[in-house]
Amino acid sequence: MKKDLLKLLDLSKEDMEAILNKADQLKYEQKHGIPQKYLEGKTLAMIFEKNSTRTRVSFETGMYQLGGHALFLSGKESQIGRGEPVEDTARVLSRYCDGIMIRTFAQSEVEELAKYASIPVINGLTDFCHPCQVLADLLTIREHKAVLEGLKLCYIGDGNNMANSLIAGGLKMGMEVAAACPEGYDPDPQVLAFAQSDPAFHFSLCRAPQDAAAGADVVFTDVWASMGQEEEKAKRAKAFQGYCVDASLMALTHPGCMVQHCLPAHRGEEISAQVFEDHAHEIFDEAENRLHAQKAVMCLLMSQ
Ligand code: CP
Ligand code: NVA
């Protein structure tokens, strides 16, 4: 049976640990010039219905480093943009390729693609979640802090795809998770239900960023208007006043607290320029780890 990566809610702690451990191995090999052609002769189709810098470059470079090939399909320029049904695209690509990465709007489109494809499907971001990003984030935190279990992860801002994946991933890995979102911008109800489903989970959702940041070991934030929400930019800028990760918020966190941002960042909105630059080494480690985490995902899903 082929396996997919559609959302972190589908993965166990052991699945995520296996990905992080494989990523450690692949990162070590790459840094030491050890050959890693584990996907020789394999092709990954990459469907993009939204913009990307990191996801596209890290998947394409990752496939090259693993001895395979990646091909870019833009929604607009392929038949997908002209309305070819997703179940047909899935069955066609399954005849040519060994895996599909898709970035799109609706999570249901990714789930539908996976249902009809006979090859692994990897979610490269939907409105609902961003699992590849959060695997890279967990890898980065583990590198910096040695462990994940027991750390307090704080998320400040929009209850969007990043918030949803961080809550699912953080709780599954045994982290305490606190999110602060303005009213009307809460994480997805499915994720909130998951967070409440196990008495062992330490989860809180609050309105005041200060409450979430208190004693945090890692602070996350993300843009206030995600891709597809450009028209809401002004309305959101108002709703998110007071939700900037700045020095006064960081003063409430645990000493040595990390800052993570999936990027692109808007300095002076969700994060101050000072906090961004003070933590730039961690943020760009996080960006680099997209490469290693996704290579791990591709190896684990596509090497059979
Ligand atoms: N963080 C992230 O997914 O970046 P891109 O939108 O550039 O791929
Ligand atoms: N929440 C952002 C993440 C970008 C990587 C968006 O969906 O646009």
Side-chain angles (χ1 to χ4, degrees), residues 50 103 125 130 160-162 222-223 226-227 262-264:
K50 288 179 175 175
R103 165 170 287 197
L125 181 146
H130 199 357
N160 61 13
N161 43 15
M162 277 303 298
D222 187 19
V223 291
S226 285
M227 290 181 275
C262 67
L263 304 174

Side-chain angles (χ1 to χ4, degrees), residues 69-235:
H69 175 66
L71 60 92
F72 175 78
L73 281 165
S74 112
K76 277 190 212 100
E77 287 154 30
S78 62
Q79 297 292 2
I80 298 162
R82 295 182 61 245
E84 182 164 12
V86 69
E87 59 263 42
D88 293 356
T89 304
R91 286 177 287 186
V92 169
L93 294 178
S94 297
R95 300 292 180 110
Y96 303 133
C97 302
D98 304 282
I100 307 171
M101 193 288 307
I102 177 166
R103 165 170 287 197
T104 190
F105 293 86
Q107 178 71 16
S108 57
E109 190 180 330
V110 178
E111 308 264 351
E112 192 77 352
L113 189 75
K115 185 173 154 194
Y116 285 94
S118 57
I119 55 177
V121 171
I122 300 169
N123 183 342
L125 181 146
T126 60
D127 293 346
F128 175 66
C129 66
H130 199 357
C132 291
Q133 178 69 54
V134 170
L135 289 168
D137 300 345
L138 295 170
L139 184 67
T140 312
I141 302 165
R142 198 173 78 163
E143 279 176 356
H144 281 258
K145 300 282 185 194
V147 291
L148 295 173
E149 205 147 11
L151 295 181
K152 180 174 178 182
L153 185 162
C154 153
Y155 177 86
I156 308 287
D158 187 20
N160 61 13
N161 43 15
M162 277 303 298
N164 291 333
S165 288
L166 282 167
I167 294 167
L171 290 176
K172 284 191 183 223
M173 297 310 285
M175 302 175 86
E176 178 185 346
V177 179
C181 309
E183 208 171 337
Y185 296 94
D186 284 350
D188 191 275
Q190 194 189 342
V191 172
L192 295 180
F194 165 76
Q196 264 118 44
S197 67
D198 187 335
F201 289 159
H202 294 281
F203 174 71
S204 58
L205 174 64
C206 50
R207 299 287 169 232
Q210 293 75 11
D211 293 341
D217 297 292
V218 52
V219 171
F220 278 86
T221 188
D222 187 19
V223 291
W224 292 340
S226 285
M227 290 181 275
Q229 298 171 335
E230 288 77 8
E231 279 165 22
E232 293 177 35
K233 207 171 182 303
K235 181 183 128 196

Side-chain angles (χ1 to χ4, degrees), residues 3-30:
K3 280 194 192 151
D4 308 296
L5 173 59
L6 307 182
K7 53 186 183 299
L8 294 186
L9 287 174
D10 298 335
L11 268 53
S12 66
K13 181 182 186 188
E14 291 68 34
D15 293 331
M16 284 195 275
E17 261 163 1
I19 295 169
L20 301 188
N21 293 343
K22 186 77 182 169
D24 280 345
Q25 177 211 322
L26 293 166
K27 187 168 182 175
Y28 178 89
E29 288 173 355
Q30 197 223 330

